[in-house]
Amino acid sequence: MSFSQITFNELIDSYIEGKVGIANDFLSPPLAAGLKSNLVSLLENKQLLSAGTGNDTEVVHNKLYRSDSIYWLDRKHNDPYENDFFDLMDAFVAHLNSTCYTGITGYEFHYALYQPGSFYKRHFDQFRNNSSRQYSMIMYLNSEWTEGNGGELRIYNGDYEQDITPVYGKSVFFKSSELEHEVLLTNKPRMSITGWLKVG
Ligand code: OGA
Ligand code: NI
């Protein structure tokens, strides 16, 4: 598979310009469709788990704070779409490290489903006891999203609140320690791949 450096640069350039990188075709349409069908199967097979907050040693399940369900992607699943996704991320990380000297050495990604009524209150993505998460990335898998569906990603970016609709094909990239953000209550099932580029 070959990857588009142009799309990588679109994400990185918009990040450098405004602290929030956005690209519209980071995931190719077939890859996005494959990951979305995986997410739908995970839901049907009841494999999605209620998401916690905090890391392994400090995990709290607090539905008042966060009410999405998740499933971690893993090369060990031998799923063709997950493997294509990891190949894409390997290429993106190599590009980022060589152009921006970011020193990223790893990553983690999960599927996320917000059922109607779900949200994720204002937070930073870095844990208090572990600063390995450097960059946050979210890729949306919802084919249609109109005003009134809710579920926007609201980023507290300096003086303004930047609202991002979670529409198909859109990828978002920002520094995990820098920007507080939240997921507004959604009125429609809201699907994404979310993850972090890490050091150490
Ligand atoms: C997260 C998060 C944002 C989104 O999972 O930490 O902030 O738009 N997700 O899904
Ligand atoms: Ni977050």
Side-chain angles (χ1 to χ4, degrees), residues 120-121 123-125 136 138 153 174 181-183 194 196:
Y120 192 162
K121 296 283 191 200
H123 65 281
F124 283 109
D125 281 352
S136 303
I138 308 129
L153 168 62
F174 58 89
H181 54 280
E182 70 178 299
V183 177
T194 302
W196 298 274

Side-chain angles (χ1 to χ4, degrees), residues 45-59:
N45 298 326
K46 303 196 188 318
Q47 285 173 284
L48 294 169
L49 297 172
S50 154
T53 49
N55 53 9
D56 291 347
T57 53
E58 220 193 289
V59 70

Side-chain angles (χ1 to χ4, degrees), residues 26-42:
F26 186 82
L27 294 184
S28 69
L31 179 53
L35 292 168
K36 181 174 179 157
S37 71
N38 281 352
L39 182 35
V40 171
S41 312
L42 289 165

Side-chain angles (χ1 to χ4, degrees), residues 116-182:
S118 303
F119 52 81
Y120 192 162
K121 296 283 191 200
R122 185 169 172 165
H123 65 281
F124 283 109
D125 281 352
Q126 246 186 27
F127 300 125
R128 276 192 305 272
N129 60 355
N130 180 335
S131 58
S132 64
R133 288 180 173 181
Q134 298 295 304
Y135 295 95
S136 303
M137 291 185 78
I138 308 129
M139 287 145 265
Y140 298 109
L141 304 174
N142 309 294
S143 44
E144 279 170 29
W145 209 265
T146 52
E147 246 188 284
N149 290 153
E152 291 88 356
L153 168 62
R154 174 166 290 172
I155 299 184
Y156 296 88
N157 193 348
D159 290 341
Y160 69 103
E161 294 172 3
Q162 182 173 352
D163 284 356
I164 296 171
T165 49
V167 75
Y168 210 74
K170 194 185 288 181
S171 299
V172 181
F173 175 79
F174 58 89
K175 199 160 188 355
S176 305
S177 61
E178 186 172 45
L179 296 179
E180 269 190 294
H181 54 280
E182 70 178 299

Side-chain angles (χ1 to χ4, degrees), residues 57-90:
T57 53
E58 220 193 289
V59 70
V60 205
H61 291 272
N62 185 346
K63 291 270 180 207
L64 296 174
Y65 188 69
R66 171 177 190 185
S67 47
D68 58 326
S69 325
I70 67 167
Y71 186 85
W72 293 95
L73 282 74
D74 196 321
R75 283 216 187 253
K76 293 198 194 93
H77 296 150
N78 284 324
D79 175 80
Y81 300 113
E82 292 189 17
N83 286 346
D84 282 354
F85 176 79
F86 285 127
D87 291 346
L88 171 67
M89 292 315 306
D90 287 341

